[in-house]
């Protein structure tokens, strides 16, 4: 079984059946009845980072993307990744601190919009074409005034996987509990 934690209470979880990649039927020790399970409705489920599956190339955990420094291909600062959302069609990143923009800027997390993600360096590089769209919508961010050489987008980090945050996994809280 796997180890998980509901609001600070550890449980051993055994997957009974996988219905589809994002939906499983599981059993947890100590949760014997439907009423026991319903009492956990709305609770957060935490899983140790070490228990998460290895990621493939060009995949990232949401937790790893949030907080990355955002840059243009020319190296100009464009703020930080504040959040990652999935509204059904594709993942979207929310940027804060974009020079010249009021509030936040939303950008699709696609190979066309993101030129590179370097987790080791803590950076996410926006493709020149996507930066041009931000400029058109938000005005000209200071970092965009630089001349940048266009290159083909490629997500080349060998770690991480974007996974939906639908389950409400709060890895920071989990790490605090493990410390």
């Amino acid at each position: 079984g796997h180890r998980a934690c509901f609001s600070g209470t550890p449980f051993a979880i055994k997957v009974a059946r996988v219905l589809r990649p994002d939906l499983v039927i599981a059993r947890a020790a100590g949760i014997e009845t439907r009423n026991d399970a319903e009492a956990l409705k709305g609770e957060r489920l935490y899983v140790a980072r070490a228990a998460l599956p290895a990621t493939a190339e060009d995949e990232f955990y949401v937790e790893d993307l949030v907080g990355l420094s955002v840059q243009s291909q020319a190296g100009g600062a464009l703020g930080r990744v504040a959040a990652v959302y999935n509204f059904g069609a594709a993942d979207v990143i929310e940027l804060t601190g974009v020079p010249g923009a009021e509030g936040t800027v939303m950008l699709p997390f696609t190979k066309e919009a993101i030129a590179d993600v370097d987790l080791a360096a803590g950076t996410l590089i926006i493709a020149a074409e996507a930066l041009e769209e931000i400029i058109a919508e938000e005005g000209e961010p200071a970092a965009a005034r630089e001349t940048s050489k266009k290159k083909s987008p490629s997500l080349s980090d060998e770690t991480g996987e974007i996974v939906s945050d639908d389950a409400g996994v709060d890895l920071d809280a989990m790490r605090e509990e493990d410390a």
Side-chain angles (χ1 to χ4, degrees):
H2 303 285
R3 300 292 301 167
C5 187
F6 283 108
S7 297
T9 305
F11 289 89
I13 293 181
K14 181 177 180 184
V15 174
R17 188 169 40 157
V18 177
L19 299 177
R20 55 181 203 245
D22 63 341
L23 182 63
V24 298
I25 294 176
R27 296 202 177 273
I31 302 173
E32 305 299 329
T33 68
R34 177 180 284 273
N35 288 340
D36 292 342
E38 286 178 357
L40 295 171
K41 187 176 182 178
E43 296 290 329
R44 290 183 175 255
L45 171 67
Y46 301 95
V47 178
R49 177 72 183 234
L52 296 175
T55 56
E57 186 177 341
D58 292 351
E59 295 181 333
F60 305 92
Y61 283 108
V62 169
E63 174 74 9
D64 294 335
L65 297 173
V66 173
L68 290 181
S69 171
V70 179
Q71 298 178 358
S72 68
Q73 287 182 297
L78 292 172
R80 293 208 165 274
V81 176
V84 180
Y85 303 102
N86 187 305
F87 301 113
D91 292 303
V92 176
I93 57 172
E94 178 181 17
L95 309 179
T96 59
V98 176
E102 291 187 29
T104 61
V105 173
M106 304 295 259
L107 187 68
F109 190 77
T110 62
K111 289 182 178 185
E112 293 75 30
I114 308 301
D116 190 39
V117 175
D118 187 339
L119 295 179
T123 58
L124 180 142
I125 310 298
I126 295 181
E129 295 86 358
L131 184 56
E132 289 170 10
E133 288 182 31
I134 292 173
I135 293 168
E137 292 177 15
E138 303 290 334
E140 188 171 3
R145 295 184 194 115
E146 308 160 16
T147 304
S148 65
K149 183 171 65 174
K150 293 183 181 181
K151 68 176 188 177
S152 299
S154 68
L155 299 176
S156 59
D157 199 292
E158 58 277 338
T159 63
E161 173 181 313
I162 292 181
V163 291
S164 176
D165 198 18
D166 293 343
V169 175
D170 185 344
L171 293 174
D172 285 334
M174 183 185 70
R175 286 186 187 118
E176 289 175 15
E177 290 174 10
D178 287 345

